[in-house]
Amino acid sequence: MADSCFTEFVRKKVGQALEHYERVRGELRKTHRVHEDGTFVVYAGAAGKEYIVRAECPKGAVGHYKGRKGEEHLVRVEYDHGEVQYYEGRKGEERKVRVEFPDRQVQHFEGRKGEARLVRIEFSEGAVGHYEGRKGEERLVRMEWPNGEVHHFEGLRGGERLVRVTWSDGLVHHFEGPAGEEHKVRCVHPDGEVRYFEGPRGEERKVRIIFSSGAVCHCEGPAGKEYMVRVELPTGRVEHYEGPADAERMVRAVLRNGNKMYYDGPKSEERIVRLWCVRDGVVHHYDGPKGAERKVRMTYPGGLVVIWERPGGITVVRTERPGNCTRAQRHWRKLRIHALSVGWLLRLYEVAALRPGNSTAKRLCEANAARAVRQRRE
């Protein structure tokens, strides 16, 4: 309190500014300075060593400084709406490095004074945006989300378009189209599976899937209701499907050698009903549930029909020929061949059915029939 008796306040006009001093024990110490535009500058320090600590702008900004007299450098600017800017660098070279907003958004900058460019934005929800480009041309190149999702962008500032999204589990989505109209075109899964899409944004429909095994699945239908129509396997086999989404059933399979297999039954219960061989044109007909199909008939291009029967558990083959037949052909048409295995069936058919009248074939048939009877008795 005693010191107050020796305190005297002095004002000096310096150019367009008015400086305020206080005299303490005979020494004048500058306390603040008021500029013509209303800027209020505050000083600290001993007399003769005063340094700027704060500058208040009438428009609502307050600048904070550090450093001894003559070396004061700006470190922070606070605005009345809550924004705070941070600076680094010595006097005259202060560069903006960070800006904090009331909504907790934080912007980071790099570059020397006057050329500081935006490089990163931390959003309140935890997302982080990364930018590239010189000052005034910064463009968003990547957005990282708290759940591990990362969005990648391309294009000039204001026209950045989404091109890729990566997930924490390794899933990658690829996009095409201008900003605001990006549509998904491809999804790459961690296991190597790739899904392709077509259609405008929000209506992308799955059209093809390439599995890690090399199999290719083709799909049709609107978005969300795509159904499988064809599967191409690495072995050369091509499977064709029919039915709505989640109920597709295999109806046909084309093998690598050109043979065609036809199926019947609901999804997961498809059974073979017919096999067409491209080499000789023979059609094999089957009956029985999936996994237990048995051959019941063979139809040859010339009209010859071979019928499989199983009376008493013994496989029997009957051949039929259309049109007029010779005596020998009529004999073989009524022939019933008893066989114990598929191998015997094929061997006997080649000899007996294709070469009617052959005595060797007849003996083979009779011998096989006798063998079948003996085994049944045993």
Side-chain angles (χ1 to χ4, degrees), residues 106-125:
V106 180
Q107 297 182 356
H108 297 264
F109 296 80
E110 291 182 0
R112 58 187 181 182
K113 182 177 181 179
E115 298 180 5
R117 62 189 185 279
L118 178 66
V119 295
R120 189 170 73 256
I121 296 180
E122 298 173 359
F123 296 90
S124 57
E125 65 272 21

Side-chain angles (χ1 to χ4, degrees), residues 121-232:
I121 296 180
E122 298 173 359
F123 296 90
S124 57
E125 65 272 21
V128 179
H130 297 264
Y131 293 78
E132 292 182 359
R134 60 185 181 182
K135 181 180 179 180
E137 298 179 6
E138 302 95 327
R139 62 188 185 279
L140 178 65
V141 295
R142 190 170 72 257
M143 182 71 75
E144 301 174 351
W145 300 87
N147 61 358
E149 182 179 335
V150 181
H151 293 199
H152 299 262
F153 297 83
E154 292 182 0
L156 300 178
R157 179 177 182 175
E160 300 95 327
R161 63 187 184 279
L162 179 66
V163 296
R164 189 169 69 257
V165 175
T166 59
W167 305 78
S168 58
D169 60 0
L171 178 65
V172 181
H173 289 189
H174 296 264
F175 295 81
E176 292 182 358
E181 299 180 15
E182 303 93 330
H183 56 276
K184 183 168 55 179
V185 296
R186 189 169 70 256
C187 291
V188 181
H189 291 252
D191 60 0
E193 177 182 316
V194 182
R195 300 188 177 191
Y196 293 85
F197 296 80
E198 292 182 359
R201 180 175 183 175
E203 300 178 14
E204 300 94 330
R205 62 187 185 280
K206 183 170 52 184
V207 296
R208 189 168 70 257
I209 302 175
I210 299 179
F211 297 94
S212 57
S213 63
V216 180
C217 175
H218 298 265
C219 304
E220 293 182 0
K225 298 181 179 180
E226 303 91 333
Y227 51 89
M228 180 169 53
V229 295
R230 189 171 73 257
V231 174
E232 301 170 358

Side-chain angles (χ1 to χ4, degrees), residues 270-286:
E270 303 94 328
R271 62 186 186 279
I272 302 173
V273 295
R274 194 165 65 254
L275 168 63
W276 177 76
C277 297
V278 66
R279 181 176 59 85
D280 51 18
V282 177
V283 180
H284 302 249
H285 299 264
Y286 295 82

Side-chain angles (χ1 to χ4, degrees), residues 29-88:
R29 185 179 70 85
K30 184 165 44 177
T31 57
H32 59 278
R33 182 177 185 175
V34 181
H35 292 261
E36 187 178 23
D37 60 0
T39 300
F40 188 87
V41 181
V42 180
Y43 293 81
K49 298 181 180 180
E50 303 92 334
Y51 53 89
I52 301 174
V53 294
R54 190 171 72 253
E56 301 175 1
C57 177
K59 294 183 179 181
V62 179
H64 298 264
Y65 294 80
K66 284 186 177 181
R68 59 187 180 182
K69 182 177 181 180
E71 298 180 4
E72 304 95 325
H73 55 276
L74 180 66
V75 295
R76 188 172 76 254
V77 176
E78 299 174 352
Y79 293 89
D80 54 6
H81 59 266
E83 177 182 335
V84 180
Q85 298 181 356
Y86 294 86
Y87 294 79
E88 292 182 359

